[in-house]
Amino acid sequence: MAGWKSPSENTVLGKPTPRLDGPAKVTGRAKYAYDVQPAGLLQGKILRCPHGSAQIISIDTSAAERMPGVGAVIITAKPGDIMRFAGQELGGVAAKSFDIAQDAVRAIKVSYKVLPHVVHEEAAMKPDAPNVRGADPNTSTPNTRSTGDTDAAFQSAAAVIEGTYSCAVRTHNSLETHGTTCKWEDDTHLTCWASTQGVFSVRDDFAREYKLPPANIHVITEVMGGGFGSKFGAGYEGILCANLAKKANAPVKLMLNREEEQIAVGNAPSATVEVRMAADGDGNITAVDAKLHGTGGISGAGVPFPYIYKVGSTKISQISVFMNSGGQRAWRAPGHPQASFLMESAVEDLAIKLGMDPLELRMKNDPSKLRISQWREGARIVGWDRRNAKPGNGKLAGNGRYKRGLGCGAATWGGGGGGGSQCKVIISNDGSVDVEIGVQDIGTGTRTYCAMIVAEELGLAVSAIKTNLGKTSLGYGVGSGGSVTTGSTAPAVKRAAEAAKEALVSAVAAKMGVDTDQIELIDGKVIVKGESGKQVPFKKACSALGPGGVTGDGKWDASLQQNGVAGVQFAEVQVDTLTGLVKVIKVVALQDGGVILNPLTFTSQVNGGVIQGIGMALFEDRKMCQLTGRMLNANMEDYKMPGSMEMPEFVSIAFENPTAKGVSGIGEPPVIPTAAAIRNAVLNASGAALYHAPMTPGRVLDALAAGRKG
Amino acid sequence: MKAFELVNPTDVSGAVSALTAAGREGKLLAGGIDLLSEMKEYIATPSIVVNLKAVSGLNKIESSAKGLKIGALVTLSDIAKHPTIAAKYTALAEAAESVASPQIRHVGTLGGNLCQRPRCWYYRDEHVICLKKGGSKCYAIEGENEYHAILGGGPSYIVHPSDCAPALMVLGASVDISGPKGNRTVSLDKFFILPTENLYKENVLEVGEIVTHITVPAPAAGTTSHYLKIRHKESMDWALSGAAVALTAKAGKVTSAKVVLSGVAPVPWRSPEAEKALIGKQVTTAIADRAGAAAVAKAKPLGGNAYKVPLTRNVVRLAVLHAAGVKG
Ligand SMILES: Cc1cc2nc3c(=O)[nH]c(=O)nc-3n(C[C@H](O)[C@H](O)[C@H](O)COP(=O)(O)OP(=O)(O)OC[C@H]3O[C@@H](n4cnc5c(N)ncnc54)[C@H](O)[C@@H]3O)c2cc1C
């Protein structure tokens, strides 16, 4: 079967195509889980523990049950249970209005025995820290690995650096919060409008919960406002919502608020490395000796290290630190942005110590041929030769209050796809074309490329194709995690489109009395080859089909996807030496993603990654208070994320991989190198060496002062 | 949000009597940007809300040779775009423009901006009963305090959130207040009070009192002013540190200087030390820096907010240079 055509042969694929659901989203016509309003809808609200650690003594729901307008009260915890973080769920209420639901939740009397908590990572690592996991210690057994002889390498090294690098816990802050609207059609059939990255995983969770056949559960996500890794499965809130709906015998909507979104449904773990690193005189990295730790609250954490570089010898020891805060979840390339920040910062410092161009050191130790070409191309585009030869010293830095500099960093990611996807392309005898696949579009552009692939095969315009997706009643689609959606979905769509085309062509050929191989579909027309002039508009040709039209079925095909993508980024920043404010002037991002289906949504993924990378570099920091055990900035005011004024000039490049045969998603990789590139650019600009992200004005001022002292 | 009764008086005296009758159970609503979020988060739980927006005549900017008279309901965006304010009362226009986002400035009022409650993350957490809410300790002292006060702190270490207040103060503004005991005018210098005076409020308003107007005298000839606000996130953020500066100069020498800081103290913080460093001087980078150093000489950071000391020093320096029209 055919592979992807080369870019020059395409008429639709590979051309920048605006997302099909854009107008509906910006005009508010698109209906999110939040917007669904089945008749008789009740509003749900969760009861949460306010303490960092506490044992439940008693729960009294009587006042809540008596409140007028309350449809159901459900308690999922029981006296004796230990709550392990502020925000942990105990149950919830469904009521006629959101205000009643909230009043009712507040009327539930829970008495607690407050227990000691620990919410700071360093404190949690101390032997006398309050115990977070019952019998198990707060630190996991070290995961250790080593290669080669680090001792010898350090001894013979031309340069050695030693330092501690770290980055903070961040939260996902999806614009659409977690939650569902649930409606029981009868005792054994549930419809659920979910904000999810995986309609089928939500379906399966409900099927398990209620011991029902999966076919009895219908999960719908036609549009979705971001998840970044935090929205798989029904979740506590989904199951509670369906249970409340069952108990109240009415549909229930339960969406989290901003605070709940930050405390209870995931975060990106912190990461800290104490590292020694050595290089020989030729710039080969000969040894990395690293001790890593990170916290995912009540869940484990870890990062790949020494990340992308080939290193002569390694000694790595890594632990997870447990503390009384909400558990981590996958966050856009789990562990990789942290790894990149830690490793690329150390590599930069090593290059400076060696007196070598940091880019040269990187290229010398980077095993990826593809990335080497990206390094080269990126350096050319950003004008790497403009960089200051010494940190804080050079023409680009200048002598004034504002100093500019350049830095870079790299990424690797898997992507590709996996089996199971089932797609249908239906051509009706009125000429309409529908593509159907259950997979959800989490905002990345799935809907658009599905239509593009079919349009390409059938010689039609994208607007002629209707995509129906985000429903478990359609063919299986994968969960959108690990950047596998495109690699799993696009092959099935292509195969289905080919099958539909074949069926159409054979019907048309029979009617016209020509061989099928004489028929071509081009530009909205069915053309008979050779016999010039003989052509029929697509719509008209479709009247050759029976009343049922034709349906092409497509399954995943490994040959149409590929795994393993590379990326590099270069940042230009400006440091205000009087205020410590860092402004990112420009980010040049080169990202490979195999065969590129839609360069427009591709670059918008890259831009989005860069924006979140700027957040990690300069702003985002989940703050916990050890006195209260609570998160201090569970809002979008004190938990700072980049806004319009923080945007750099984006030079986001869909990097044509000359050897690519298959497609791959790239939702995750473009967020990976940004923070590292910014950190290294700040150093190049101002001489301020930052060891912790986010690089707040306070930390930058401190680093500038330390730099001045020498 | 706790259910409440909404009262819509049509004149100031009606608002005063409704508010007075409600006593501690009442709250005055202007734009609602702050009050409604306090109510949604159960920080304020009034049972009666008196809607000042139903009162007519409080939404005008009157400009005359004597100065400005601004109704309490005038929005921040109206102030920011008023040509006379931008030209003659520059610091005020700049301060209004620096607040939050366009959406908030379209709704938020000047009265509400002056009377808004602190943003301290302990104060704003329903589950934390801090000193300001009748508890026994200010959590900022031993807790997380990177946004807290370095000057005038104790026993509470909030910072006053208003950007407009420092600008109005350097311009010599005062507020007209109506209350159950009649009307009074209070200079903004005396309007804000430190936690040592009263822990539970940030200004002198008594129960039932309403700010009706803000008056600003016309600046003396040769006066220039500037408000500089440093925010971590430029798109929308509170001041990490800010400085309003008004300078009157004659023959190149400063004859009068006013410096008021934001983001660093429980009240908009007047700095006589910085003012003294400027009076009688010709503004240069060295003089401006000396004013900055003087402004923070008595700073007592808590730990997490030590960066505010060098930052504020530089902010004062930059604001003074800008107000004086000197390139730094
Ligand atoms: C996300 C966010 C960011 C913000 N950023 C900034 C910022 O950077 N700088 C800044 O200065 N502000 C900022 N604000 C605050 C905003 O400017 C003020 O909340 C707004 O100006 C208040 O005006 P309002 O009319 O909405 O007040 P309301 O919310 O109606 O009232 C605020 C308080 O003042 C009292 N009050 C109101 N009017 C009067 C009056 N005439 N007499 C007596 N008491 C009165 C009310 O009872 C209430 O307690 C921000 C607010 C938000 C939500």
Side-chain angles (χ1 to χ4, degrees):
Chain A
M1 269 186 278
W4 299 102
K5 287 187 277 185
S6 74
S8 60
E9 295 166 327
N10 283 325
T11 56
V12 177
L13 285 178
K15 313 281 181 251
T17 306
R19 61 184 74 226
L20 297 175
D21 48 12
K25 284 180 174 177
V26 297
T27 55
R29 269 185 291 121
K31 292 277 173 275
Y32 290 79
Y34 223 120
D35 301 322
V36 179
Q37 305 277 357
L41 183 67
L42 303 182
Q43 305 289 334
K45 177 79 188 163
I46 295 178
L47 168 67
R48 295 177 188 277
C49 171
H51 306 292
S53 179
Q55 185 167 34
I56 299 174
I57 305 298
S58 65
I59 305 175
D60 175 1
T61 61
S62 52
E65 315 249 14
R66 278 197 307 270
M67 267 187 189
V70 169
V73 178
I74 290 177
I75 296 299
T76 56
K78 55 185 188 310
D81 285 358
I82 305 242
M83 298 284 112
R84 293 193 296 154
F85 68 94
Q88 195 168 348
E89 307 89 349
L90 278 78
V93 171
K96 285 223 161 85
S97 74
F98 182 76
D99 288 324
I100 299 174
Q102 183 152 334
D103 283 348
V105 160
R106 296 172 67 84
I108 298 173
K109 288 191 200 71
V110 186
S111 93
Y112 294 99
K113 180 181 169 201
V114 176
L115 303 171
H117 57 246
V118 59
V119 297
H120 287 162
E121 189 173 349
E122 303 290 334
M125 292 167 75
K126 299 223 168 88
D128 57 348
N131 206 302
V132 176
R133 295 195 294 167
D136 294 325
N138 291 349
T139 51
S140 63
T141 313
N143 173 354
T144 59
R145 51 194 188 273
S146 60
T147 58
D149 184 351
T150 49
D151 288 346
F154 279 115
Q155 247 158 38
S156 62
V160 175
I161 60 119
E162 190 167 355
T164 303
Y165 304 84
S166 58
C167 48
V169 172
R170 289 160 293 134
T171 54
H172 296 72
N173 274 299
S174 310
L175 274 188
E176 182 189 24
T177 60
H178 285 63
T180 57
T181 300
C182 287
K183 179 180 179 220
W184 289 93
E185 307 295 346
D186 58 35
D187 280 355
T188 58
H189 289 85
L190 173 68
T191 304
C192 169
W193 292 266
S195 176
T196 183
Q197 296 176 243
V199 286
F200 289 91
S201 67
V202 174
R203 177 196 70 176
D204 294 348
D205 280 356
F206 280 127
R208 251 192 309 278
E209 177 72 16
Y210 298 111
K211 301 193 173 57
L212 288 171
N216 287 23
I217 317 284
H218 188 198
V219 180
I220 302 169
T221 304
E222 289 197 81
V223 283
M224 197 264 196
F228 306 105
S230 69
K231 285 186 183 163
F232 293 101
Y236 181 94
E237 58 281 353
I239 300 283
L240 181 72
C241 183
N243 282 332
L244 286 167
K246 195 157 215 177
K247 190 163 177 188
N249 198 20
V252 174
K253 168 164 20 191
L254 200 167
M255 302 293 296
L256 303 193
N257 67 18
R258 282 282 151 225
E259 181 190 10
E260 296 174 295
E261 192 68 11
Q262 301 220 35
I263 60 180
V265 287
N267 53 69
S270 60
T272 299
V273 67
E274 290 166 44
V275 64
R276 279 174 78 219
M277 187 149 76
D280 66 19
D282 296 333
N284 298 302
I285 303 176
T286 51
V288 169
D289 180 352
K291 269 198 177 138
L292 295 124
H293 61 86
T295 184
I298 58 166
S299 316
V303 301
F305 208 81
Y307 204 41
I308 63 155
Y309 294 103
K310 74 170 186 288
V311 169
S313 65
T314 57
K315 207 159 115 192
I316 313 274
S317 167
Q318 185 159 164
I319 57 168
S320 283
V321 181
F322 295 85
M323 62 182 210
N324 297 106
S325 60
Q328 65 105 6
R329 289 186 187 175
W331 190 105
R332 206 170 185 174
H336 283 235
Q338 296 96 317
S340 174
F341 183 79
L342 306 183
M343 184 63 186
E344 296 284 5
S345 300
V347 166
E348 187 81 9
D349 295 353
L350 184 63
I352 291 166
K353 190 95 180 255
L354 264 177
M356 193 169 173
D357 176 348
L359 182 58
E360 197 187 325
L361 180 68
R362 286 184 169 85
M363 290 172 67
K364 184 135 208 159
N365 294 279
D366 188 340
S368 155
K369 274 214 188 91
L370 187 58
R371 219 168 17 236
I372 301 242
S373 56
Q374 292 177 334
W375 287 124
R376 248 186 227 117
E377 179 71 355
R380 186 187 64 76
I381 295 168
V382 80
W384 185 249
D385 51 3
R386 293 182 298 136
R387 82 185 199 290
N388 304 304
K390 282 211 181 97
N393 249 314
K395 215 169 129 208
L396 190 58
N399 296 316
R401 166 181 170 191
Y402 299 103
K403 290 176 165 276
R404 283 201 186 193
L406 298 174
C408 58
T412 183
W413 191 250
S421 294
Q422 297 164 351
C423 179
K424 270 191 201 319
V425 171
I426 303 148
I427 305 174
S428 301
N429 66 358
D430 67 349
S432 58
V433 181
D434 290 87
V435 49
E436 295 185 348
I437 183 161
V439 72
Q440 58 293 318
D441 181 344
I442 60 170
T444 47
T446 311
R447 182 184 296 277
T448 307
Y449 71 65
C450 285
M452 289 170 74
I453 293 168
V454 178
E456 181 71 47
E457 290 298 331
L458 300 181
L460 295 173
V462 181
S463 57
I465 317 294
K466 221 177 111 214
T467 311
N468 189 7
L469 52 62
K471 298 188 181 96
T472 55
S473 56
L474 303 173
Y476 178 80
V478 294
S480 296
S483 302
V484 300
T485 314
T486 301
S488 307
T489 305
V493 175
K494 179 164 162 57
R495 291 296 180 241
E498 288 166 353
K501 177 181 174 181
E502 203 181 307
L504 172 70
V505 166
S506 72
V508 171
K511 184 153 187 210
M512 291 175 126
V514 296
D515 284 347
T516 53
D517 59 6
Q518 281 189 278
I519 291 194
E520 280 183 319
L521 305 184
I522 298 172
D523 210 10
K525 294 187 250 328
V526 176
I527 299 175
V528 180
K529 268 196 261 186
E531 274 179 70
S532 63
K534 193 149 194 206
Q535 58 176 51
V536 194
F538 182 86
K539 257 190 190 328
K540 196 160 168 226
C542 289
S543 63
L545 302 174
V550 293
T551 298
D553 285 299
K555 284 209 192 98
W556 186 66
D557 180 339
S559 71
L560 292 174
Q561 57 83 51
Q562 71 183 50
N563 182 296
V565 296
V568 304
Q569 290 182 16
F570 291 80
E572 177 166 355
V573 306
Q574 172 176 286
V575 179
D576 181 344
T577 54
L578 290 181
T579 63
L581 286 170
V582 174
K583 185 154 185 53
V584 184
I585 304 291
K586 181 196 278 198
V587 175
V588 176
L590 294 92
Q591 181 63 52
D592 124 70
V595 172
I596 294 165
L597 297 173
N598 184 356
L600 193 62
T601 47
F602 188 104
T603 44
S604 94
Q605 284 301 300
V606 177
N607 294 347
V610 167
I611 294 169
Q612 282 191 309
I614 291 173
M616 173 181 174
L618 302 178
F619 300 105
E620 299 186 42
D621 189 353
R622 195 245 352 234
K623 288 192 183 294
M624 299 297 299
C625 174
Q626 181 54 35
L627 297 177
T628 64
R630 297 173 54 75
M631 180 172 171
L632 290 154
N633 55 347
N635 52 52
M636 283 180 157
E637 183 181 322
D638 292 324
Y639 185 91
K640 298 181 185 185
M641 284 179 294
S644 51
M645 299 290 286
E646 283 66 52
M647 294 303 106
E649 178 191 344
F650 296 95
V651 186
S652 295
I653 293 168
F655 191 78
E656 295 282 354
N657 176 347
T659 63
K661 293 259 179 320
V663 298
S664 175
I666 50 101
E668 285 160 299
V671 75
I672 297 170
T674 318
I678 292 171
R679 183 268 179 192
N680 295 333
V682 167
L683 174 57
N684 185 252
S686 65
L690 276 294
Y691 296 94
H692 184 75
M695 297 175 278
T696 58
R699 291 198 181 101
V700 173
L701 284 174
D702 283 351
L704 284 165
R708 274 192 292 271
K709 278 190 206 121
Chain B
M1 178 183 306
K2 195 182 106 178
F4 59 88
E5 182 192 339
L6 182 68
V7 184
N8 288 297
T10 50
D11 56 19
V12 170
S13 67
V16 167
S17 41
L19 210 50
T20 309
R24 304 249 164 240
E25 285 297 306
K27 282 278 178 204
L28 187 66
L29 175 82
I33 293 283
D34 183 27
L35 183 64
L36 292 183
S37 57
E38 279 213 308
M39 289 168 65
K40 282 195 255 179
E41 288 164 18
Y42 293 85
I43 309 302
T45 51
S47 39
I48 295 164
V49 172
V50 178
N51 181 12
L52 191 62
K53 274 182 302 186
V55 173
S56 55
L58 297 182
N59 56 358
K60 284 199 289 288
I61 302 176
E62 293 164 64
S63 167
S64 71
K66 284 198 313 207
L68 292 173
K69 185 168 183 185
I70 305 174
L73 289 179
V74 169
T75 64
L76 300 176
S77 55
D78 283 341
I79 292 170
K81 66 171 190 245
H82 195 277
T84 310
I85 298 182
K88 283 176 70 183
Y89 309 84
T90 316
L92 176 58
E94 290 170 330
E97 180 74 30
S98 81
V99 170
S101 64
Q103 292 94 326
I104 288 176
R105 295 197 291 273
H106 287 328
V107 177
T109 67
L110 184 58
N113 189 269
L114 297 178
C115 299
Q116 62 174 307
R117 304 303 315 274
R119 305 305 295 193
C120 168
W121 44 29
Y122 294 106
Y123 168 76
R124 293 272 163 171
D125 184 341
E126 181 200 349
H127 296 282
V128 176
I129 308 303
C130 72
L131 202 53
K132 277 194 82 65
K133 293 190 284 191
S136 61
K137 72 173 162 197
C138 173
Y139 285 77
I141 299 169
E142 289 169 50
E144 300 299 318
N145 48 37
E146 68 177 273
Y147 301 129
H148 287 83
I150 56 168
L151 286 161
S156 149
Y157 285 83
I158 59 155
V159 295
H160 198 278
S162 173
D163 285 312
C164 297
L168 285 165
M169 281 168 68
V170 298
L171 296 170
S174 49
V175 289
D176 296 341
I177 297 170
S178 285
K181 294 185 198 143
N183 298 339
R184 58 179 177 141
T185 297
V186 177
S187 151
L188 266 192
D189 269 336
K190 302 238 161 69
F191 182 70
F192 299 104
I193 53 176
L194 282 167
T196 42
E197 198 170 323
N198 190 324
L199 269 174
Y200 310 112
K201 58 183 191 178
E202 296 78 41
N203 56 52
V204 299
L205 291 180
E206 300 289 347
V207 171
E209 284 194 314
I210 294 173
V211 172
T212 59
H213 295 91
I214 295 92
T215 54
V216 194
T223 301
T224 52
S225 66
H226 179 55
Y227 180 62
L228 176 65
K229 171 181 176 182
I230 299 303
R231 46 201 144 171
H232 184 185
K233 197 178 106 180
E234 257 190 85
S235 302
M236 162 151 147
D237 212 342
W238 305 88
L240 292 176
S241 172
V245 175
L247 300 175
T248 310
K250 220 171 167 183
K253 291 231 164 69
V254 174
T255 55
S256 156
K258 291 251 184 85
V259 177
V260 177
L261 311 178
S262 59
V264 294
V267 293
W269 186 257
R270 176 115 187 239
S271 177
E273 298 87 351
E275 293 169 359
K276 217 173 117 202
L278 296 168
I279 289 174
K281 303 284 182 349
Q282 186 185 346
V283 175
T284 60
T285 304
I287 292 293
D289 188 50
R290 214 173 295 161
V296 296
K298 291 185 189 145
K300 284 202 196 86
L302 292 166
N305 60 2
Y307 72 94
K308 283 192 180 183
V309 178
L311 178 61
T312 304
R313 174 180 178 156
N314 291 340
V315 167
V316 170
R317 162 178 153 177
L318 292 168
V320 166
L321 290 171
H322 191 285
V326 176
K327 268 192 99 182

